[in-house]
Amino acid sequence: MKAIVAAACIFPSGPTLPLAAVAHRLQFSLIRKHPIYVDQRGSPIRACYFPEIVSVSLVERFRQLLWQVLTELINNQPALKHPPPGRVSILLPPLDRPGITPELTAAVKEAVKEITGWYDTPVHVLHGGSAEAVGMMDLATEAASFVLLAVESWLLAPSLQWLDGENLLHNAHRTFQENKIVNPYGRVPSEGAAALVLASPGTGCKPWCHIRGSGQSIEDVLYSDKGVCHGKGLRQAASLALEAANITELHHLVSDINGEPYRADELGFTLFAMHRYNGEGLIRETPVLASGDLGCASLVAHMALTAWRMRSSEHPSNTLLLSTSDDGRRGAVVMSKTQGSQHADN
C-alpha cells in the first residue's frame, strides 16, 4: 500500500492542519448563525463557515479553499515543487447538488494548475460522496507520487434548502401538528478542503504514516428509507479493510457520524460486528464535532488529521476510518504509523 508523505486540511475552526487537529482534540467548533439563509420557519440556521467568503460565488469559494489547502500542502512537502506529482485527483460534490456544474469543474481544474504551477500534471475530477475517495486512492498505484484533493461547501442557499427540505438540517425549525419544533438531529453544514500526498516506497520522502488496507461496499438502507439501518454496507467495507490490513487490534476508530439516527444505527451494528478488533482502550473519534459536516471532503480530511497525529507519534496507532455517502456508498481505510508486514502491504 501507499505511504502518506504530506497532508493539509482546512475548515472554519481549523484553518490549517495543526489548528484543525487542535480543534478536533478540544471539540472546538465555530458554529454560528448564518447571516443570509433562514429555514422554513424564517429562523437563521446554524452553520460552520468562513465569514470572509460567505457571500462569494461557489466558484470563487472553491478557488479560495483550494488556494489555502494547496499552499499548506506544498509548504508541508516542498518536494512537490520539483518534480511535480504524477497525478492529481479531485473529489467534488455530486453533480445533482445545486451549483455543481461543468463550469465549476473546469474552474477547479484550472485553479489547481494556477495555484501550484503543475501545468503538465494530469488533473482528474470525480463527483460523489465522501466514500468515493477510497476508490480514488486505488489510482495511486499508477504514479510514484499522487495528490488527492477534496473540496466541499454546503453553504450555497439551494443546498441548504435541500438539507432543510429533507429534514437533514440540525436545529432547523418546522411546523409539526401546528407547533413550531426544532430538529434535534441532522447535519451542521460546513465547508473546507483537504489534501493528501501518497507516495510509493523508495521515493525518498519520509512517510507520515501508511495506508494498510481499504474496502468499499454499498448500503441498501439510506436516510430516506423507513426502518433501521443495520449497516450491511459499512460492515462489509470495514471487514474488507481490516482483512487487507492484516492487523489484530485497533487503537482508534474514526467515523463521520453526524447526528442522523440512521447513521448512528449503522455505526452501532458495525462496531458490534468488529468487536474482536476492539482492544482495551479503543478511542472513538468524531471529527464532525469540530468541523461540521464536510460532505465529500470528510474522509480525506479525517485521513489528514489522522496522518498528522501519527507523524508525531511513535505508537503504531492502528486506526480504522469509516466513510458514508448519501448515495449508499460505504468506505473504510486502515492507517498505521508502521508499514506492517510485506503480506499486509500487498
Side-chain angles (χ1 to χ4, degrees), residues 10 19 75 79 81 95 118 130 147 162 164 171 187 223 254 303 313 315 324 342:
I10 61 167
L19 291 176
N75 287 339
K81 295 180 180 179
L95 284 169
W118 300 335
S130 174
V147 174
W162 178 82
D164 195 5
N171 206 51
R187 310 172 191 179
Y223 70 89
V254 181
M303 292 180 69
S313 172
H315 197 280
T324 60
Q342 185 66 30

Side-chain angles (χ1 to χ4, degrees), residues 299-315:
L299 179 58
V300 181
H302 299 171
M303 292 180 69
L305 289 167
T306 301
W308 178 260
R309 183 185 69 236
M310 291 182 177
R311 180 192 188 193
S312 57
S313 172
E314 296 301 322
H315 197 280

Side-chain angles (χ1 to χ4, degrees), residues 198-217:
L198 289 80
S200 301
T203 56
C205 297
K206 183 178 179 180
W208 288 17
C209 60
H210 299 268
I211 299 173
R212 296 278 296 275
S214 63
Q216 301 177 78
S217 189

Side-chain angles (χ1 to χ4, degrees), residues 104-178:
L104 174 66
T105 302
V108 165
K109 292 177 69 173
E110 186 61 28
V112 170
K113 292 180 179 292
E114 290 177 356
I115 294 165
T116 62
W118 300 335
Y119 291 101
D120 296 326
T121 299
V123 178
H124 302 270
V125 175
L126 182 67
H127 294 270
S130 174
E132 292 283 1
V134 178
M136 295 174 73
M137 285 188 295
D138 293 339
L139 301 174
T141 57
E142 300 177 1
S145 62
F146 174 96
V147 174
L148 176 58
L149 290 165
V151 190
E152 175 66 274
S153 178
W154 281 105
L155 299 175
L156 194 69
S159 299
L160 297 172
Q161 186 176 18
W162 178 82
L163 287 172
D164 195 5
E166 292 292 311
N167 201 28
L168 293 175
L169 191 57
H170 176 70
N171 206 51
H173 297 73
R174 60 177 52 242
T175 301
F176 178 74
Q177 296 180 351
E178 300 183 355

Side-chain angles (χ1 to χ4, degrees), residues 212 242-250 276-277 318-319 334 336:
R212 296 278 296 275
L242 289 165
E243 290 176 5
N246 192 24
I247 60 175
T248 59
E249 186 179 53
L250 286 173
R276 68 185 180 92
Y277 292 97
N318 292 332
T319 299
V334 175
S336 297

Side-chain angles (χ1 to χ4, degrees), residues 16 37 66 68 83 101 111 137 157 163 174 176 232 246 320 324:
T16 65
Y37 187 77
L66 280 169
Q68 291 183 66
T101 63
M137 285 188 295
L163 287 172
R174 60 177 52 242
F176 178 74
K232 176 183 176 182
N246 192 24
L320 173 65
T324 60

Side-chain angles (χ1 to χ4, degrees), residues 163 166-172 183-189 257-261 263 288 293:
L163 287 172
E166 292 292 311
N167 201 28
L168 293 175
L169 191 57
H170 176 70
N171 206 51
N183 181 13
Y185 306 111
R187 310 172 191 179
V188 176
I257 186 170
N258 58 6
E260 297 169 40
R263 279 201 168 110
V288 71
D293 191 278

